[in-house]
Amino acid sequence: MSIVDNVNELFWKQSRVNGVTHHPATRDAKITFQVPHVIPTNGRAPIPLDIACRSKRDQGRVYLKAWSEVDKFSVVLREADEPGCDFMAFKVLNEEVLVQLEKDLVDYGVEVEQVPAEELKDCGRRVRFTVPSGHAFELFADKLYTGKWGLASVNPEAWPRGLRGMKAVRFDHCLFYGPELAATYDIFVNILGFDLAEQVLDPEGTRVAQFLTVSMKEHDVAFIHHEEKGKFHHASFYLESWEGVLRAADLIRKCCSRPHSGRTGVPAAPAPDPVRSGAR
């Protein structure tokens, strides 16, 4: 029996309350999205992704993480009928900051939903809300710390042995499509403490793309204007080199179920029939 689809991601973020910057205690954050990948019953990620956690199924989900992430999981796959994004979540410093941000959201007129602890295994309570672009986001403060996968906490090696597939280091960012970018910007910048890193303006000076950061990365989340709400464009994982990116592209091509062209753009030829080709 196989499990298909959904990804929950947990990332490292910082939150600001009333203009004061708070840095989280751990490098963790979370996003949930549906993807057309099948996870084998042994709980390992498929070769194309190779996120390194080996957590078993629980609550109908498979929990995964990249090797440098220190909390128990950063990706959760759940069975779903269609691919898509459930939510993206950001970790805050502690419960006190979570309570304050929840209050700030409510005071700003944002409707929030309480998600109890352990709804995701070994994750504390979450505060869920939907921004005007139509995308759901969550805030949380607690998740089980397990350390980097395959490395000792004292005198660790530079990287774990036995990595497979793409060797993803960590989750990096997401890009969403939707309307009402200005109202979405206000929530992220004025309430959650994000900064605008990059933007694209149309000839009338209206912002049609915005790239927001709350860490040392170029951006953690981005939005591009689209008339339909709640559209998901991509999630990105950090690799250590351009060579790693090319290798990841080759793995996607090899593992894709439908015919793909090779690196040259020439359609990949089917394997020759050993009988008809004269092979013995």
Side-chain angles (χ1 to χ4, degrees), residues 6-9 61-64 73-78 120:
N6 247 88
V7 181
N8 275 317
E9 267 275 357
R61 301 171 174 133
V62 174
Y63 292 74
L64 308 167
F73 62 90
S74 64
V75 176
V76 177
L77 305 182
R78 74 164 177 86
L120 289 176

Side-chain angles (χ1 to χ4, degrees), residues 211-238:
F211 299 80
L212 307 173
T213 182
V214 73
S215 68
M216 295 183 293
K217 294 185 293 184
E218 287 82 357
H219 60 276
D220 295 286
V221 63
F223 298 88
I224 290 179
H225 177 77
H226 186 72
E227 292 300 327
E228 188 176 352
K229 285 190 173 186
K231 304 300 288 185
F232 172 71
H233 188 271
H234 73 259
S236 176
F237 293 87
Y238 178 76

Side-chain angles (χ1 to χ4, degrees), residues 11-26 28-29 89-102 104-105 129 138-142 187-195 213-216 220:
F11 316 36
W12 167 36
K13 303 295 165 224
Q14 68 184 22
S15 304
R16 267 181 292 183
V17 181
N18 298 328
V20 179
T21 301
H22 300 274
H23 296 274
T26 60
D28 186 34
F90 296 94
K91 188 172 188 179
V92 302
L93 179 66
N94 53 35
E95 178 66 20
E96 181 182 357
V97 172
L98 183 60
V99 169
Q100 182 63 59
L101 286 173
E102 180 181 358
D104 291 344
L105 286 166
F129 58 97
E138 293 185 353
L139 304 175
F140 69 103
D142 298 303
I187 293 174
F188 273 88
V189 173
N190 298 328
I191 303 301
L192 302 179
F194 282 67
D195 291 311
T213 182
V214 73
S215 68
M216 295 183 293
D220 295 286

Side-chain angles (χ1 to χ4, degrees), residues 38-46 50-51 53-55 62 64 162 164:
V38 174
I39 299 299
T41 55
N42 63 5
R44 285 180 174 267
D50 193 36
I51 303 227
C53 176
R54 303 297 186 250
S55 183
V62 174
L64 308 167
R164 302 164 54 243

Side-chain angles (χ1 to χ4, degrees), residues 102-110 182-183 185-187 190-191:
E102 180 181 358
K103 180 179 182 301
D104 291 344
L105 286 166
V106 172
D107 291 345
Y108 197 76
V110 178
Y185 171 94
D186 287 342
I187 293 174
N190 298 328
I191 303 301

Side-chain angles (χ1 to χ4, degrees), residues 1-274:
M1 183 176 181
S2 296
I3 212 167
V4 183
D5 305 332
N6 247 88
V7 181
N8 275 317
E9 267 275 357
L10 292 140
F11 316 36
W12 167 36
K13 303 295 165 224
Q14 68 184 22
S15 304
R16 267 181 292 183
V17 181
N18 298 328
V20 179
T21 301
H22 300 274
H23 296 274
T26 60
R27 297 169 52 186
D28 186 34
K30 172 172 58 187
I31 176 175
T32 307
F33 52 93
Q34 300 151 327
V35 294
H37 271 315
V38 174
I39 299 299
T41 55
N42 63 5
R44 285 180 174 267
I47 293 285
L49 190 58
D50 193 36
I51 303 227
C53 176
R54 303 297 186 250
S55 183
K56 295 181 179 179
R57 293 182 184 178
D58 191 271
Q59 304 162 312
R61 301 171 174 133
V62 174
Y63 292 74
L64 308 167
K65 75 174 185 179
W67 71 261
S68 75
E69 295 166 330
V70 297
D71 282 355
K72 183 173 181 179
F73 62 90
S74 64
V75 176
V76 177
L77 305 182
R78 74 164 177 86
E79 190 169 14
D81 294 331
E82 296 181 355
C85 178
D86 285 342
F87 67 86
M88 180 178 185
F90 296 94
K91 188 172 188 179
V92 302
L93 179 66
N94 53 35
E95 178 66 20
E96 181 182 357
V97 172
L98 183 60
V99 169
Q100 182 63 59
L101 286 173
E102 180 181 358
K103 180 179 182 301
D104 291 344
L105 286 166
V106 172
D107 291 345
Y108 197 76
V110 178
E111 185 175 346
V112 301
E113 175 188 350
Q114 299 290 334
V115 183
E118 294 297 319
E119 195 276 335
L120 289 176
K121 185 169 177 59
D122 296 316
C123 183
R125 78 176 186 95
R126 292 129 56 200
V127 175
R128 181 179 297 173
F129 58 97
T130 300
V131 297
S133 64
H135 301 96
F137 290 88
E138 293 185 353
L139 304 175
F140 69 103
D142 298 303
K143 186 151 51 72
L144 180 65
Y145 178 95
T146 56
K148 295 181 180 180
W149 179 83
L151 294 178
S153 58
V154 178
N155 294 337
E157 294 184 324
W159 59 81
R161 303 184 186 191
L163 287 175
R164 302 164 54 243
M166 294 181 184
K167 301 182 175 68
V169 177
R170 58 168 168 78
F171 177 87
D172 193 80
H173 69 269
C174 273
L175 171 61
F176 299 104
Y177 278 26
E180 300 189 56
L181 263 59
T184 299
Y185 171 94
D186 287 342
I187 293 174
F188 273 88
V189 173
N190 298 328
I191 303 301
L192 302 179
F194 282 67
D195 291 311
L196 179 66
E198 297 181 65
Q199 63 180 349
V200 177
L201 305 178
D202 68 12
E204 286 72 41
T206 302
R207 188 185 304 114
V208 294
Q210 54 197 26
F211 299 80
L212 307 173
T213 182
V214 73
S215 68
M216 295 183 293
K217 294 185 293 184
E218 287 82 357
H219 60 276
D220 295 286
V221 63
F223 298 88
I224 290 179
H225 177 77
H226 186 72
E227 292 300 327
E228 188 176 352
K229 285 190 173 186
K231 304 300 288 185
F232 172 71
H233 188 271
H234 73 259
S236 176
F237 293 87
Y238 178 76
L239 301 176
E240 292 188 297
S241 68
W242 281 109
E243 180 185 4
V245 174
L246 290 173
R247 184 172 184 274
D250 284 341
L251 284 170
I252 293 173
R253 180 178 60 84
K254 287 181 179 181
C255 298
C256 186
S257 59
R258 58 183 183 272
H260 255 37
S261 63
R263 282 186 173 181
T264 61
V266 178
D273 186 314

